[in-house]
Short mmCIF file of all heavy atoms in Angstrom, two decimals:
data_model
loop_
_atom_site.label_atom_id
_atom_site.label_comp_id
_atom_site.label_asym_id
_atom_site.label_seq_id
_atom_site.Cartn_x
_atom_site.Cartn_y
_atom_site.Cartn_z
N THR A 144 -55.37 -146.72 106.92
CA THR A 144 -55.27 -146.72 108.38
C THR A 144 -54.56 -145.47 108.89
O THR A 144 -54.97 -144.85 109.87
CB THR A 144 -54.57 -147.97 108.88
OG1 THR A 144 -55.30 -149.14 108.45
CG2 THR A 144 -54.42 -147.97 110.40
N SER A 145 -53.49 -145.08 108.20
CA SER A 145 -52.74 -143.90 108.62
C SER A 145 -53.60 -142.65 108.50
O SER A 145 -53.52 -141.76 109.37
CB SER A 145 -51.46 -143.76 107.79
OG SER A 145 -51.75 -143.37 106.46
N SER A 146 -54.41 -142.56 107.49
CA SER A 146 -55.27 -141.40 107.33
C SER A 146 -56.39 -141.38 108.38
O SER A 146 -56.76 -140.32 108.87
CB SER A 146 -55.90 -141.40 105.92
OG SER A 146 -54.91 -141.23 104.92
N ILE A 147 -56.90 -142.56 108.72
CA ILE A 147 -57.88 -142.63 109.80
C ILE A 147 -57.28 -142.14 111.12
O ILE A 147 -57.86 -141.34 111.86
CB ILE A 147 -58.41 -144.06 109.95
CG1 ILE A 147 -59.23 -144.46 108.72
CG2 ILE A 147 -59.24 -144.21 111.23
CD1 ILE A 147 -59.66 -145.92 108.73
N VAL A 148 -56.08 -142.63 111.41
CA VAL A 148 -55.38 -142.22 112.63
C VAL A 148 -55.12 -140.73 112.65
O VAL A 148 -55.28 -140.06 113.67
CB VAL A 148 -54.08 -143.03 112.79
CG1 VAL A 148 -53.24 -142.50 113.95
CG2 VAL A 148 -54.38 -144.53 113.02
N ASP A 149 -54.69 -140.20 111.48
CA ASP A 149 -54.50 -138.75 111.39
C ASP A 149 -55.76 -137.98 111.77
O ASP A 149 -55.73 -136.98 112.50
CB ASP A 149 -54.11 -138.36 109.96
CG ASP A 149 -52.60 -138.33 109.76
OD1 ASP A 149 -51.85 -138.28 110.76
OD2 ASP A 149 -52.18 -138.36 108.59
N ARG A 150 -56.88 -138.42 111.24
CA ARG A 150 -58.14 -137.70 111.46
C ARG A 150 -58.65 -137.83 112.89
O ARG A 150 -59.09 -136.84 113.48
CB ARG A 150 -59.22 -138.22 110.48
CG ARG A 150 -58.94 -137.90 109.03
CD ARG A 150 -59.05 -136.37 108.77
NE ARG A 150 -58.85 -136.09 107.36
CZ ARG A 150 -58.89 -134.83 106.86
NH1 ARG A 150 -59.11 -133.81 107.68
NH2 ARG A 150 -58.70 -134.63 105.57
N VAL A 151 -58.59 -139.03 113.45
CA VAL A 151 -59.21 -139.24 114.78
C VAL A 151 -58.30 -138.80 115.90
O VAL A 151 -58.78 -138.44 117.00
CB VAL A 151 -59.65 -140.69 114.98
CG1 VAL A 151 -60.71 -141.08 113.93
CG2 VAL A 151 -58.48 -141.66 114.93
N LEU A 152 -56.97 -138.82 115.69
CA LEU A 152 -56.04 -138.44 116.76
C LEU A 152 -55.45 -137.06 116.55
O LEU A 152 -55.05 -136.40 117.47
CB LEU A 152 -54.92 -139.49 116.88
CG LEU A 152 -55.32 -140.89 117.29
CD1 LEU A 152 -54.08 -141.77 117.41
CD2 LEU A 152 -56.14 -140.89 118.57
N GLY A 153 -55.30 -136.66 115.27
CA GLY A 153 -54.66 -135.39 114.97
C GLY A 153 -53.16 -135.49 115.14
O GLY A 153 -52.57 -136.55 115.32
N CYS A 154 -52.50 -134.35 115.05
CA CYS A 154 -51.06 -134.24 115.30
C CYS A 154 -50.22 -135.17 114.40
O CYS A 154 -49.11 -135.56 114.81
CB CYS A 154 -50.72 -134.54 116.76
SG CYS A 154 -51.53 -133.40 117.94
N ASN A 155 -50.75 -135.52 113.23
CA ASN A 155 -50.01 -136.35 112.28
C ASN A 155 -49.53 -137.67 112.87
O ASN A 155 -48.46 -138.15 112.50
CB ASN A 155 -48.79 -135.56 111.72
CG ASN A 155 -49.23 -134.39 110.86
OD1 ASN A 155 -50.24 -134.47 110.13
ND2 ASN A 155 -48.48 -133.29 110.94
N TYR A 156 -50.33 -138.25 113.76
CA TYR A 156 -49.98 -139.56 114.31
C TYR A 156 -49.86 -140.59 113.19
O TYR A 156 -49.09 -141.56 113.30
CB TYR A 156 -51.02 -140.02 115.32
CG TYR A 156 -50.80 -139.49 116.71
CD1 TYR A 156 -51.48 -138.39 117.19
CD2 TYR A 156 -49.88 -140.12 117.57
CE1 TYR A 156 -51.27 -137.90 118.48
CE2 TYR A 156 -49.66 -139.64 118.86
CZ TYR A 156 -50.36 -138.55 119.31
OH TYR A 156 -50.16 -138.06 120.59
N GLY A 157 -50.63 -140.44 112.13
CA GLY A 157 -50.61 -141.41 111.05
C GLY A 157 -49.36 -141.39 110.23
O GLY A 157 -49.09 -142.32 109.46
N GLU A 158 -48.56 -140.33 110.34
CA GLU A 158 -47.33 -140.20 109.56
C GLU A 158 -46.36 -141.35 109.89
O GLU A 158 -45.65 -141.82 109.00
CB GLU A 158 -46.66 -138.87 109.81
CG GLU A 158 -45.45 -138.60 108.94
CD GLU A 158 -44.90 -137.20 109.11
OE1 GLU A 158 -45.50 -136.41 109.85
OE2 GLU A 158 -43.85 -136.92 108.51
N THR A 159 -46.35 -141.80 111.14
CA THR A 159 -45.45 -142.89 111.50
C THR A 159 -45.85 -144.18 110.76
O THR A 159 -44.98 -144.98 110.40
CB THR A 159 -45.49 -143.16 113.03
OG1 THR A 159 -46.82 -143.50 113.42
CG2 THR A 159 -45.06 -141.91 113.82
N ILE A 160 -47.14 -144.36 110.54
CA ILE A 160 -47.61 -145.53 109.81
C ILE A 160 -47.23 -145.43 108.34
O ILE A 160 -46.79 -146.41 107.71
CB ILE A 160 -49.11 -145.72 109.97
CG1 ILE A 160 -49.50 -145.80 111.47
CG2 ILE A 160 -49.61 -146.97 109.25
CD1 ILE A 160 -50.98 -145.77 111.73
N ARG A 161 -47.40 -144.26 107.77
CA ARG A 161 -47.02 -144.05 106.35
C ARG A 161 -45.53 -144.27 106.15
O ARG A 161 -45.13 -144.84 105.15
CB ARG A 161 -47.44 -142.64 105.92
CG ARG A 161 -48.94 -142.45 105.70
CD ARG A 161 -49.24 -141.13 105.05
NE ARG A 161 -48.98 -140.00 105.94
CZ ARG A 161 -49.79 -139.57 106.84
NH1 ARG A 161 -50.98 -140.15 107.02
NH2 ARG A 161 -49.50 -138.52 107.60
N ASP A 162 -44.72 -143.79 107.09
CA ASP A 162 -43.28 -143.94 106.95
C ASP A 162 -42.82 -145.39 106.99
O ASP A 162 -41.81 -145.75 106.36
CB ASP A 162 -42.58 -143.15 108.07
CG ASP A 162 -42.70 -141.67 107.91
OD1 ASP A 162 -43.05 -141.20 106.80
OD2 ASP A 162 -42.45 -140.93 108.89
N ALA A 163 -43.57 -146.20 107.74
CA ALA A 163 -43.10 -147.60 107.97
C ALA A 163 -43.96 -148.63 107.27
O ALA A 163 -43.70 -149.83 107.42
CB ALA A 163 -43.11 -147.88 109.47
N HIS A 164 -44.94 -148.23 106.48
CA HIS A 164 -45.94 -149.19 106.03
C HIS A 164 -45.35 -150.33 105.17
O HIS A 164 -45.87 -151.45 105.19
CB HIS A 164 -47.07 -148.50 105.27
CG HIS A 164 -46.74 -148.06 103.88
ND1 HIS A 164 -46.08 -146.87 103.61
CD2 HIS A 164 -46.92 -148.66 102.67
CE1 HIS A 164 -45.92 -146.75 102.30
NE2 HIS A 164 -46.44 -147.81 101.72
N ILE A 165 -44.28 -150.05 104.46
CA ILE A 165 -43.72 -151.14 103.62
C ILE A 165 -43.00 -152.19 104.45
O ILE A 165 -42.73 -153.30 103.97
CB ILE A 165 -42.76 -150.57 102.55
CG1 ILE A 165 -41.59 -149.85 103.19
CG2 ILE A 165 -43.49 -149.65 101.58
CD1 ILE A 165 -40.53 -149.42 102.18
N TYR A 166 -42.68 -151.88 105.69
CA TYR A 166 -41.96 -152.82 106.57
C TYR A 166 -42.90 -153.50 107.54
O TYR A 166 -42.52 -154.50 108.17
CB TYR A 166 -40.87 -152.09 107.36
CG TYR A 166 -39.89 -151.35 106.48
CD1 TYR A 166 -39.89 -149.95 106.47
CD2 TYR A 166 -38.97 -152.03 105.69
CE1 TYR A 166 -38.98 -149.24 105.69
CE2 TYR A 166 -38.08 -151.32 104.90
CZ TYR A 166 -38.09 -149.93 104.90
OH TYR A 166 -37.19 -149.26 104.11
N LEU A 167 -44.10 -153.01 107.70
CA LEU A 167 -45.03 -153.56 108.66
C LEU A 167 -45.60 -154.90 108.18
O LEU A 167 -45.85 -155.06 107.01
CB LEU A 167 -46.19 -152.61 108.91
CG LEU A 167 -45.83 -151.30 109.65
CD1 LEU A 167 -47.06 -150.37 109.67
CD2 LEU A 167 -45.34 -151.58 111.06
N PRO A 168 -45.75 -155.88 109.09
CA PRO A 168 -46.30 -157.17 108.70
C PRO A 168 -47.80 -157.10 108.51
O PRO A 168 -48.47 -156.18 108.99
CB PRO A 168 -45.91 -158.08 109.86
CG PRO A 168 -45.87 -157.15 111.04
CD PRO A 168 -45.37 -155.84 110.52
N SER A 169 -48.37 -158.11 107.89
CA SER A 169 -49.82 -158.16 107.69
C SER A 169 -50.51 -159.05 108.72
O SER A 169 -51.74 -159.21 108.65
CB SER A 169 -50.12 -158.67 106.27
OG SER A 169 -49.50 -159.91 106.04
N ASP A 170 -49.77 -159.62 109.63
CA ASP A 170 -50.32 -160.48 110.67
C ASP A 170 -50.22 -159.74 112.00
O ASP A 170 -49.13 -159.29 112.40
CB ASP A 170 -49.49 -161.77 110.73
CG ASP A 170 -50.07 -162.80 111.70
OD1 ASP A 170 -50.76 -162.40 112.66
OD2 ASP A 170 -49.82 -164.00 111.49
N PRO A 171 -51.32 -159.58 112.76
CA PRO A 171 -51.30 -158.84 114.01
C PRO A 171 -50.37 -159.49 115.04
O PRO A 171 -49.81 -158.78 115.87
CB PRO A 171 -52.76 -158.83 114.48
CG PRO A 171 -53.41 -159.95 113.73
CD PRO A 171 -52.70 -160.03 112.43
N THR A 172 -50.22 -160.81 115.02
CA THR A 172 -49.30 -161.46 115.96
C THR A 172 -47.88 -161.04 115.67
O THR A 172 -47.09 -160.82 116.59
CB THR A 172 -49.45 -163.00 115.87
OG1 THR A 172 -49.19 -163.43 114.55
CG2 THR A 172 -50.83 -163.45 116.29
N GLU A 173 -47.53 -160.94 114.40
CA GLU A 173 -46.18 -160.49 114.04
C GLU A 173 -46.01 -159.01 114.37
O GLU A 173 -44.90 -158.58 114.71
CB GLU A 173 -45.96 -160.70 112.53
CG GLU A 173 -45.90 -162.17 112.13
CD GLU A 173 -45.70 -162.34 110.64
OE1 GLU A 173 -45.40 -161.32 109.95
OE2 GLU A 173 -45.85 -163.46 110.12
N LEU A 174 -47.10 -158.27 114.29
CA LEU A 174 -47.03 -156.86 114.66
C LEU A 174 -46.68 -156.69 116.13
O LEU A 174 -45.80 -155.88 116.48
CB LEU A 174 -48.39 -156.21 114.38
CG LEU A 174 -48.44 -154.69 114.20
CD1 LEU A 174 -47.75 -154.27 112.89
CD2 LEU A 174 -49.88 -154.19 114.20
N MET A 175 -47.29 -157.49 117.00
CA MET A 175 -46.99 -157.43 118.41
C MET A 175 -45.60 -157.99 118.72
O MET A 175 -44.92 -157.49 119.60
CB MET A 175 -48.06 -158.19 119.21
CG MET A 175 -49.45 -157.58 119.09
SD MET A 175 -49.52 -155.83 119.44
CE MET A 175 -48.90 -155.82 121.14
N TYR A 176 -45.19 -159.02 117.98
CA TYR A 176 -43.83 -159.53 118.16
C TYR A 176 -42.80 -158.46 117.82
O TYR A 176 -41.79 -158.29 118.52
CB TYR A 176 -43.63 -160.76 117.28
CG TYR A 176 -42.23 -161.30 117.28
CD1 TYR A 176 -41.77 -162.10 118.33
CD2 TYR A 176 -41.34 -161.03 116.23
CE1 TYR A 176 -40.48 -162.60 118.35
CE2 TYR A 176 -40.04 -161.49 116.25
CZ TYR A 176 -39.63 -162.27 117.30
OH TYR A 176 -38.32 -162.75 117.32
N LEU A 177 -43.06 -157.78 116.72
CA LEU A 177 -42.17 -156.70 116.29
C LEU A 177 -42.07 -155.62 117.37
O LEU A 177 -41.01 -155.07 117.63
CB LEU A 177 -42.71 -156.09 114.99
CG LEU A 177 -41.82 -155.14 114.20
CD1 LEU A 177 -40.75 -155.91 113.51
CD2 LEU A 177 -42.68 -154.37 113.21
N PHE A 178 -43.20 -155.35 118.00
CA PHE A 178 -43.26 -154.30 119.04
C PHE A 178 -42.40 -154.68 120.22
O PHE A 178 -41.85 -153.81 120.91
CB PHE A 178 -44.71 -154.10 119.47
CG PHE A 178 -44.89 -153.01 120.44
CD1 PHE A 178 -44.52 -151.69 120.12
CD2 PHE A 178 -45.45 -153.26 121.69
CE1 PHE A 178 -44.70 -150.68 121.04
CE2 PHE A 178 -45.64 -152.21 122.59
CZ PHE A 178 -45.26 -150.93 122.26
N GLY A 179 -42.21 -155.98 120.46
CA GLY A 179 -41.45 -156.42 121.65
C GLY A 179 -39.95 -156.57 121.41
O GLY A 179 -39.22 -156.89 122.34
N GLN A 180 -39.49 -156.33 120.15
CA GLN A 180 -38.07 -156.47 119.87
C GLN A 180 -37.28 -155.24 120.33
O GLN A 180 -37.84 -154.17 120.57
CB GLN A 180 -37.85 -156.67 118.37
CG GLN A 180 -38.53 -157.93 117.83
CD GLN A 180 -38.13 -159.16 118.58
OE1 GLN A 180 -36.98 -159.56 118.59
NE2 GLN A 180 -39.11 -159.78 119.24
N CYS A 181 -35.98 -155.42 120.47
CA CYS A 181 -35.14 -154.32 120.95
C CYS A 181 -33.89 -154.23 120.09
O CYS A 181 -33.15 -155.20 119.90
CB CYS A 181 -34.75 -154.55 122.41
SG CYS A 181 -33.70 -153.24 123.09
N SER A 182 -33.65 -153.04 119.54
CA SER A 182 -32.41 -152.81 118.76
C SER A 182 -32.17 -151.32 118.72
O SER A 182 -33.07 -150.53 118.45
CB SER A 182 -32.59 -153.37 117.33
OG SER A 182 -31.45 -152.99 116.56
N THR A 183 -30.94 -150.94 118.98
CA THR A 183 -30.58 -149.53 118.92
C THR A 183 -30.01 -149.12 117.56
O THR A 183 -29.73 -147.94 117.32
CB THR A 183 -29.54 -149.21 120.01
OG1 THR A 183 -28.38 -150.04 119.81
CG2 THR A 183 -30.13 -149.45 121.39
N GLU A 184 -29.84 -150.13 116.69
CA GLU A 184 -29.20 -149.86 115.40
C GLU A 184 -30.14 -149.98 114.23
O GLU A 184 -29.84 -149.48 113.14
CB GLU A 184 -28.01 -150.81 115.19
CG GLU A 184 -26.95 -150.67 116.26
CD GLU A 184 -25.80 -151.64 116.05
OE1 GLU A 184 -25.89 -152.48 115.12
OE2 GLU A 184 -24.83 -151.57 116.82
N ASP A 185 -31.25 -150.66 114.41
CA ASP A 185 -32.19 -150.89 113.28
C ASP A 185 -33.18 -149.75 113.22
O ASP A 185 -34.15 -149.70 114.00
CB ASP A 185 -32.90 -152.23 113.49
CG ASP A 185 -33.68 -152.66 112.26
OD1 ASP A 185 -34.00 -151.79 111.42
OD2 ASP A 185 -34.01 -153.85 112.16
N PHE A 186 -32.97 -148.84 112.27
CA PHE A 186 -33.87 -147.69 112.17
C PHE A 186 -35.27 -148.14 111.73
O PHE A 186 -36.29 -147.58 112.18
CB PHE A 186 -33.31 -146.69 111.15
CG PHE A 186 -34.24 -145.55 110.84
CD1 PHE A 186 -34.35 -144.48 111.71
CD2 PHE A 186 -35.03 -145.55 109.68
CE1 PHE A 186 -35.21 -143.42 111.43
CE2 PHE A 186 -35.89 -144.50 109.40
CZ PHE A 186 -35.99 -143.44 110.28
N ASN A 187 -35.35 -149.13 110.83
CA ASN A 187 -36.65 -149.61 110.36
C ASN A 187 -37.47 -150.19 111.49
O ASN A 187 -38.70 -150.01 111.56
CB ASN A 187 -36.47 -150.66 109.26
CG ASN A 187 -35.94 -150.04 107.99
OD1 ASN A 187 -36.14 -148.85 107.72
ND2 ASN A 187 -35.25 -150.85 107.17
#
């Protein structure tokens, strides 16, 4: 997915996915839940 994003968007957009892929969930609902969280200290 990161390589697809790199190719279709350019500018190494896929690098963010590669950097975080081990922490990303496999459920899209959890993905959106993760997106709605707020923390200034959690780098992951």
Side-chain angles (χ1 to χ4, degrees):
T144 299
S145 71
S146 294
I147 292 174
V148 171
D149 267 343
R150 292 293 183 179
V151 299
L152 297 182
C154 300
N155 293 324
Y156 275 99
E158 186 174 355
T159 60
I160 303 172
R161 287 189 291 276
D162 290 343
H164 75 276
I165 61 174
Y166 305 109
L167 292 173
S169 55
D170 186 334
T172 57
E173 293 179 11
L174 201 70
M175 296 308 301
Y176 175 79
L177 192 75
F178 185 59
Q180 300 306 297
C181 179
S182 173
T183 59
E184 299 179 356
D185 190 341
F186 174 79
N187 290 333

